[in-house]
Amino acid sequence: MGVRLMVVDDHRLLAEALASALKLRGHRVLAAAAPAAGAADLVVSRAPEVCLLGTAAPAEPGAFDPVVKIRRERPQTAVLVLGPVPSPRGIAAAFAAGACGYVRHDERIEGVERAIMKARAGEAAVAPGLLQGAFDALLHPEAEPDDEGRRLLHLLTRREVEVLARVAEGEDTRLIAAGMHIAPSTARTHVQRVLMKLGVGSRLEAAALAARTGLLDHALPLLGPRNTDAG
């Protein structure tokens, strides 16, 4: 039997793709909305069985405030956090706020569905590998790891970063070309270069990688306000 659920994520393309995939698997997806800041009120009003709540920065203060509000005002709704590879602090903060599980942005749809079913059954839904990684990090702390998002950012030109930002917002080749005042063929070439440099095979994978690593957050000083002039 399908689950009545909601998908809420700051990255609209990611939210809509996941919602569509879950609908195809027989679930009733009430809404796929962004940004996550408005999730709590939406969830309280629609009362799903499970809410998949996306976050790009699980370690940031206040990242799980929507979870706290949902659990306070709609305790019968199970909340699964959807986010990047978390630090031990990120996992702890999610569960402390009332989440019943944590699912990585790049998890396969089968894994997401298993987590949803566990959440609806009142079980903790977190991959054993994430828990093991958290325990290992706590028991064997290491020096600060290389920042994957910053590393990937250095592979891209400023124009390619803007293209990636537009891909993550769900723009197709036509919209990218119009927004950047370039030919569709040029936009298509930029997209292919971005995919190649990031080592991914599709626009959806590129958006998921950008969300998981925080690449576009690092790029904000570079992009500044949306500028459609050539640069």
Side-chain angles (χ1 to χ4, degrees), residues 37-204:
D41 292 335
L42 194 59
V43 172
V44 169
S45 66
R46 302 299 295 273
E49 295 176 274
V50 178
C51 171
L52 278 165
L53 178 67
T55 178
E60 289 295 317
F64 301 115
D65 286 351
V67 180
V68 174
K69 182 173 181 178
I70 292 168
R71 296 299 296 159
R72 182 178 66 245
E73 300 186 21
R74 186 66 65 175
Q76 60 270 44
T77 293
V79 181
L80 280 172
V81 173
L82 182 69
V85 179
S87 65
R89 182 178 300 175
I91 289 182
F95 279 91
C100 66
Y102 194 107
V103 181
R104 282 175 47 163
H105 270 133
D106 56 356
E107 178 64 74
R108 295 174 63 88
I109 190 62
E110 294 84 0
V112 176
E113 188 172 39
R114 283 194 296 271
I116 289 170
M117 301 309 290
K118 283 187 175 182
R120 184 173 70 168
E123 302 175 19
V126 58
L130 287 182
L131 285 179
Q132 184 62 51
F135 289 142
D136 287 345
L138 289 170
L139 293 172
H140 307 289
E142 299 177 354
E144 189 69 22
D146 291 337
D147 188 326
E148 186 179 3
R150 293 185 187 280
R151 181 183 67 80
L152 293 173
L153 178 60
H154 289 312
L155 300 177
L156 305 177
T157 66
R158 184 188 184 283
R159 176 57 61 89
E160 288 165 351
V161 170
E162 182 176 352
V163 168
L164 177 59
R166 292 177 180 275
V167 166
E169 291 174 0
E171 294 187 10
D172 59 16
T173 301
R174 179 182 58 81
L175 287 175
I176 292 173
M180 298 178 68
H181 299 303
I182 56 179
S185 60
T186 302
R188 191 174 300 109
T189 297
H190 281 314
V191 171
Q192 290 304 315
R193 286 177 178 169
V194 169
L195 300 185
M196 180 184 69
K197 289 184 177 183
L198 296 183
V200 296
S202 70
R203 297 179 184 218
L204 180 58

